[in-house]
PDB file of all heavy atoms in Angstrom:
ATOM      1  N   ALA A 246       7.297  12.144  26.059  1.00 98.00           N
ATOM      2  CA  ALA A 246       6.008  12.644  25.571  1.00 98.00           C
ATOM      3  C   ALA A 246       4.852  12.121  26.419  1.00 98.00           C
ATOM      4  O   ALA A 246       3.911  12.860  26.732  1.00 98.00           O
ATOM      5  CB  ALA A 246       5.806  12.239  24.113  1.00 98.00           C
ATOM      6  N   LEU A 247       4.909  10.849  26.836  1.00 97.00           N
ATOM      7  CA  LEU A 247       3.832  10.301  27.663  1.00 97.00           C
ATOM      8  C   LEU A 247       3.835  10.915  29.050  1.00 97.00           C
ATOM      9  O   LEU A 247       2.768  11.103  29.653  1.00 97.00           O
ATOM     10  CB  LEU A 247       3.952   8.781  27.756  1.00 97.00           C
ATOM     11  CG  LEU A 247       3.705   7.987  26.477  1.00 97.00           C
ATOM     12  CD1 LEU A 247       3.408   6.526  26.800  1.00 97.00           C
ATOM     13  CD2 LEU A 247       2.560   8.562  25.663  1.00 97.00           C
ATOM     14  N   LEU A 248       4.996  11.251  29.576  1.00 97.00           N
ATOM     15  CA  LEU A 248       5.044  11.921  30.880  1.00 97.00           C
ATOM     16  C   LEU A 248       4.485  13.335  30.783  1.00 97.00           C
ATOM     17  O   LEU A 248       3.914  13.850  31.753  1.00 97.00           O
ATOM     18  CB  LEU A 248       6.480  11.945  31.409  1.00 97.00           C
ATOM     19  CG  LEU A 248       7.085  10.579  31.753  1.00 97.00           C
ATOM     20  CD1 LEU A 248       8.492  10.751  32.312  1.00 97.00           C
ATOM     21  CD2 LEU A 248       6.206   9.821  32.757  1.00 97.00           C
ATOM     22  N   CYS A 249       4.632  13.955  29.616  1.00 96.00           N
ATOM     23  CA  CYS A 249       4.005  15.262  29.401  1.00 96.00           C
ATOM     24  C   CYS A 249       2.489  15.110  29.254  1.00 96.00           C
ATOM     25  O   CYS A 249       1.710  15.878  29.840  1.00 96.00           O
ATOM     26  CB  CYS A 249       4.578  15.920  28.150  1.00 96.00           C
ATOM     27  SG  CYS A 249       6.312  16.403  28.274  1.00 96.00           S
ATOM     28  N   GLN A 250       2.068  14.118  28.477  1.00 96.00           N
ATOM     29  CA  GLN A 250       0.639  13.928  28.220  1.00 96.00           C
ATOM     30  C   GLN A 250      -0.123  13.577  29.486  1.00 96.00           C
ATOM     31  O   GLN A 250      -1.286  13.963  29.656  1.00 96.00           O
ATOM     32  CB  GLN A 250       0.454  12.837  27.160  1.00 96.00           C
ATOM     33  CG  GLN A 250      -0.917  12.792  26.524  1.00 96.00           C
ATOM     34  CD  GLN A 250      -1.861  11.842  27.237  1.00 96.00           C
ATOM     35  OE1 GLN A 250      -1.425  11.047  28.072  1.00 96.00           O
ATOM     36  NE2 GLN A 250      -3.138  11.925  26.906  1.00 96.00           N
ATOM     37  N   THR A 251       0.504  12.852  30.410  1.00 95.00           N
ATOM     38  CA  THR A 251      -0.158  12.483  31.668  1.00 95.00           C
ATOM     39  C   THR A 251       0.043  13.534  32.756  1.00 95.00           C
ATOM     40  O   THR A 251      -0.456  13.379  33.866  1.00 95.00           O
ATOM     41  CB  THR A 251       0.386  11.139  32.187  1.00 95.00           C
ATOM     42  OG1 THR A 251       1.814  11.221  32.324  1.00 95.00           O
ATOM     43  CG2 THR A 251       0.049  10.011  31.228  1.00 95.00           C
ATOM     44  N   HIS A 252       0.807  14.597  32.431  1.00 94.00           N
ATOM     45  CA  HIS A 252       1.073  15.713  33.345  1.00 94.00           C
ATOM     46  C   HIS A 252       1.938  15.324  34.537  1.00 94.00           C
ATOM     47  O   HIS A 252       1.913  15.992  35.567  1.00 94.00           O
ATOM     48  CB  HIS A 252      -0.237  16.365  33.814  1.00 94.00           C
ATOM     49  CG  HIS A 252      -1.021  16.961  32.686  1.00 94.00           C
ATOM     50  ND1 HIS A 252      -0.619  18.086  32.008  1.00 94.00           N
ATOM     51  CD2 HIS A 252      -2.157  16.542  32.070  1.00 94.00           C
ATOM     52  CE1 HIS A 252      -1.479  18.347  31.040  1.00 94.00           C
ATOM     53  NE2 HIS A 252      -2.413  17.429  31.050  1.00 94.00           N
ATOM     54  N   TYR A 253       2.717  14.258  34.384  1.00 96.00           N
ATOM     55  CA  TYR A 253       3.773  14.025  35.368  1.00 96.00           C
ATOM     56  C   TYR A 253       4.799  15.145  35.235  1.00 96.00           C
ATOM     57  O   TYR A 253       5.339  15.637  36.223  1.00 96.00           O
ATOM     58  CB  TYR A 253       4.427  12.665  35.126  1.00 96.00           C
ATOM     59  CG  TYR A 253       5.613  12.401  36.018  1.00 96.00           C
ATOM     60  CD1 TYR A 253       5.441  12.008  37.349  1.00 96.00           C
ATOM     61  CD2 TYR A 253       6.915  12.545  35.546  1.00 96.00           C
ATOM     62  CE1 TYR A 253       6.537  11.781  38.176  1.00 96.00           C
ATOM     63  CE2 TYR A 253       8.010  12.316  36.359  1.00 96.00           C
ATOM     64  CZ  TYR A 253       7.816  11.932  37.672  1.00 96.00           C
ATOM     65  OH  TYR A 253       8.902  11.718  38.487  1.00 96.00           O
ATOM     66  N   LEU A 254       5.087  15.539  34.004  1.00 96.00           N
ATOM     67  CA  LEU A 254       5.896  16.721  33.728  1.00 96.00           C
ATOM     68  C   LEU A 254       4.974  17.877  33.400  1.00 96.00           C
ATOM     69  O   LEU A 254       3.868  17.685  32.893  1.00 96.00           O
ATOM     70  CB  LEU A 254       6.835  16.454  32.545  1.00 96.00           C
ATOM     71  CG  LEU A 254       7.869  15.332  32.724  1.00 96.00           C
ATOM     72  CD1 LEU A 254       8.656  15.119  31.428  1.00 96.00           C
ATOM     73  CD2 LEU A 254       8.817  15.635  33.872  1.00 96.00           C
ATOM     74  N   ASP A 255       5.423  19.082  33.678  1.00 92.00           N
ATOM     75  CA  ASP A 255       4.607  20.266  33.393  1.00 92.00           C
ATOM     76  C   ASP A 255       4.346  20.349  31.899  1.00 92.00           C
ATOM     77  O   ASP A 255       5.278  20.292  31.078  1.00 92.00           O
ATOM     78  CB  ASP A 255       5.319  21.531  33.861  1.00 92.00           C
ATOM     79  CG  ASP A 255       5.324  21.660  35.385  1.00 92.00           C
ATOM     80  OD1 ASP A 255       4.448  21.039  36.019  1.00 92.00           O
ATOM     81  OD2 ASP A 255       6.203  22.353  35.926  1.00 92.00           O
ATOM     82  N   ALA A 256       3.080  20.478  31.531  1.00 89.00           N
ATOM     83  CA  ALA A 256       2.700  20.532  30.124  1.00 89.00           C
ATOM     84  C   ALA A 256       1.338  21.196  30.019  1.00 89.00           C
ATOM     85  O   ALA A 256       0.573  21.209  30.992  1.00 89.00           O
ATOM     86  CB  ALA A 256       2.649  19.118  29.525  1.00 89.00           C
ATOM     87  N   PRO A 257       1.000  21.760  28.853  1.00 83.00           N
ATOM     88  CA  PRO A 257      -0.326  22.352  28.671  1.00 83.00           C
ATOM     89  C   PRO A 257      -1.413  21.286  28.707  1.00 83.00           C
ATOM     90  O   PRO A 257      -1.147  20.097  28.570  1.00 83.00           O
ATOM     91  CB  PRO A 257      -0.228  23.001  27.282  1.00 83.00           C
ATOM     92  CG  PRO A 257       0.831  22.215  26.586  1.00 83.00           C
ATOM     93  CD  PRO A 257       1.827  21.850  27.642  1.00 83.00           C
ATOM     94  N   GLU A 258      -2.640  21.725  28.878  1.00 86.00           N
ATOM     95  CA  GLU A 258      -3.762  20.778  28.944  1.00 86.00           C
ATOM     96  C   GLU A 258      -3.980  20.056  27.620  1.00 86.00           C
ATOM     97  O   GLU A 258      -4.528  18.973  27.577  1.00 86.00           O
ATOM     98  CB  GLU A 258      -5.045  21.524  29.339  1.00 86.00           C
ATOM     99  CG  GLU A 258      -5.072  21.979  30.786  1.00 86.00           C
ATOM    100  CD  GLU A 258      -4.996  20.804  31.751  1.00 86.00           C
ATOM    101  OE1 GLU A 258      -5.657  19.774  31.513  1.00 86.00           O
ATOM    102  OE2 GLU A 258      -4.250  20.914  32.736  1.00 86.00           O
ATOM    103  N   SER A 259      -3.553  20.657  26.532  1.00 92.00           N
ATOM    104  CA  SER A 259      -3.777  20.076  25.210  1.00 92.00           C
ATOM    105  C   SER A 259      -3.089  18.729  25.067  1.00 92.00           C
ATOM    106  O   SER A 259      -1.944  18.541  25.485  1.00 92.00           O
ATOM    107  CB  SER A 259      -3.262  21.030  24.131  1.00 92.00           C
ATOM    108  OG  SER A 259      -3.280  20.406  22.867  1.00 92.00           O
ATOM    109  N   ASN A 260      -3.797  17.762  24.446  1.00 95.00           N
ATOM    110  CA  ASN A 260      -3.210  16.476  24.104  1.00 95.00           C
ATOM    111  C   ASN A 260      -2.809  16.404  22.635  1.00 95.00           C
ATOM    112  O   ASN A 260      -2.405  15.340  22.153  1.00 95.00           O
ATOM    113  CB  ASN A 260      -4.203  15.342  24.406  1.00 95.00           C
ATOM    114  CG  ASN A 260      -4.338  15.096  25.901  1.00 95.00           C
ATOM    115  OD1 ASN A 260      -3.425  15.377  26.663  1.00 95.00           O
ATOM    116  ND2 ASN A 260      -5.479  14.571  26.301  1.00 95.00           N
ATOM    117  N   ASN A 261      -2.938  17.518  21.926  1.00 97.00           N
ATOM    118  CA  ASN A 261      -2.586  17.535  20.512  1.00 97.00           C
ATOM    119  C   ASN A 261      -1.108  17.192  20.334  1.00 97.00           C
ATOM    120  O   ASN A 261      -0.252  17.633  21.110  1.00 97.00           O
ATOM    121  CB  ASN A 261      -2.865  18.908  19.897  1.00 97.00           C
ATOM    122  CG  ASN A 261      -4.345  19.198  19.802  1.00 97.00           C
ATOM    123  OD1 ASN A 261      -5.164  18.276  19.787  1.00 97.00           O
ATOM    124  ND2 ASN A 261      -4.701  20.471  19.742  1.00 97.00           N
TER     125      ASN A 261
END
Side-chain angles (χ1 to χ4, degrees):
L247 292 198
L248 294 182
C249 293
Q250 196 268 348
T251 56
H252 298 290
Y253 175 78
L254 298 176
D255 287 338
E258 289 298 318
S259 171
N260 287 334
N261 291 337

